[in-house]
Amino acid sequence: MIRVAIVEDSRTIRESLTHFVQTDPECQCVFACATAEEALADIPKHQPDVVLMDIQLPKLSGIDCTAQIKKLLPTIQIIMVTVYEDTERISAALRAGACGYLLKRCTPEEVISAVREVRQGGAPMSREIARKVIVSFQEPLTTAAEVEGLSPREQEILELLAQGFANKEIANRVGVSDGTVRWHLRHVYHKLHVRSRTEAALKFRSAKAG
């Protein structure tokens, strides 16, 4: 029996995921909650094998929650189930320790298949996500000099962006307004010759890797 926990702030989606899991003879939902804080407090008590994790939670994000759970329970398997399909969030979730990434529009059968696959050592992903992961590895490398040419504040904001944080989250962490973050990002895009958050995040990661 595969023991599953669910972390999802939408009651409707949480109940649907619970139903999907409970109706499968090989799975059992041992815990479901709406916040990262509840997950961190109670998942260690229930010892699930697999966690279905949303990204956009009320306070602590699902990505941060994933990283903290993996520190507490290194062998636990976490699958992101989210509406977000931008490359920076995908990358941040995988770096945090997630081993699968599904979009919420996937079918109940795909959810259960992913739970089984991850228990067998697989890395289940929606097709669109797998494609973006491949493309991200095919992006041309950026020299470290390009990133180093940014101001310290621009580098700080770019690093948070590359970790998957939204503008509001970046503003809270840095201690500035949303408008200031947008102003800095416009300068970052111009200096790195990119037009989107995804391109900026990819350039940052390639520069760091180089």
Side-chain angles (χ1 to χ4, degrees):
M1 184 69 70
I2 304 173
R3 296 167 58 81
V4 180
I6 297 165
V7 186
E8 166 59 61
D9 66 330
S10 166
R11 180 178 177 181
T12 300
I13 296 174
R14 187 170 65 251
E15 290 178 350
S16 294
L17 289 172
T18 300
H19 176 72
F20 298 163
V21 171
Q22 289 292 81
T23 53
D24 186 86
E26 296 181 24
C27 299
Q28 177 188 8
C29 182
V30 296
F31 177 69
C33 67
T35 69
E37 290 74 17
E38 290 177 274
L40 290 168
D42 292 332
I43 280 179
K45 301 175 186 176
H46 295 277
Q47 294 289 311
D49 303 304
V50 178
V51 179
L52 299 176
M53 176 77 69
D54 187 21
I55 284 182
Q56 192 66 39
L57 297 172
K59 294 180 181 179
L60 191 70
S61 75
I63 293 172
D64 285 339
C65 184
T66 294
Q68 293 190 35
I69 289 175
K70 291 294 287 186
K71 288 180 181 177
L72 294 171
L73 303 167
T75 62
I76 202 168
Q77 306 296 302
I78 301 178
I79 302 172
M80 311 309 290
V81 184
T82 178
V83 297
Y84 296 108
E85 50 186 298
D86 51 288
T87 306
E88 57 260 34
R89 280 193 176 89
I90 298 167
S91 179
L94 297 178
R95 287 199 308 274
C99 52
Y101 200 107
L102 302 179
L103 296 177
K104 284 184 178 178
R105 59 175 177 266
C106 66
T107 66
E109 292 77 17
E110 288 172 326
V111 173
I112 297 304
S113 176
V115 169
R116 292 175 178 171
E117 182 180 344
V118 82
R119 283 293 288 160
Q120 295 170 357
M125 293 186 187
S126 296
R127 290 182 179 180
E128 304 95 320
I129 302 304
R131 178 66 178 174
K132 289 189 177 186
V133 170
I134 292 171
V135 169
S136 72
F137 280 102
Q138 296 173 339
E139 291 288 329
L141 292 178
T142 300
T143 63
E146 288 185 81
V147 171
E148 291 171 359
L150 303 176
S151 71
R153 177 66 86 191
E154 289 166 350
Q155 290 186 43
E156 182 181 19
I157 289 174
L158 176 58
E159 183 168 5
L160 290 170
L161 179 150
Q163 292 175 23
F165 292 105
N167 284 4
K168 185 175 182 180
E169 295 170 317
I170 294 173
N172 290 337
R173 285 173 175 261
V174 175
V176 299
S177 68
D178 290 6
T180 300
V181 170
R182 289 194 297 271
W183 183 81
H184 281 301
L185 286 177
R186 283 197 294 271
H187 286 273
V188 169
Y189 295 168
H190 176 73
K191 291 179 181 180
L192 295 184
H193 308 288
V194 299
R195 293 175 294 178
S196 70
R197 297 173 66 87
T198 298
E199 289 179 294
L202 288 171
K203 282 214 166 188
F204 176 81
R205 288 196 294 274
S206 66
K208 290 297 182 181

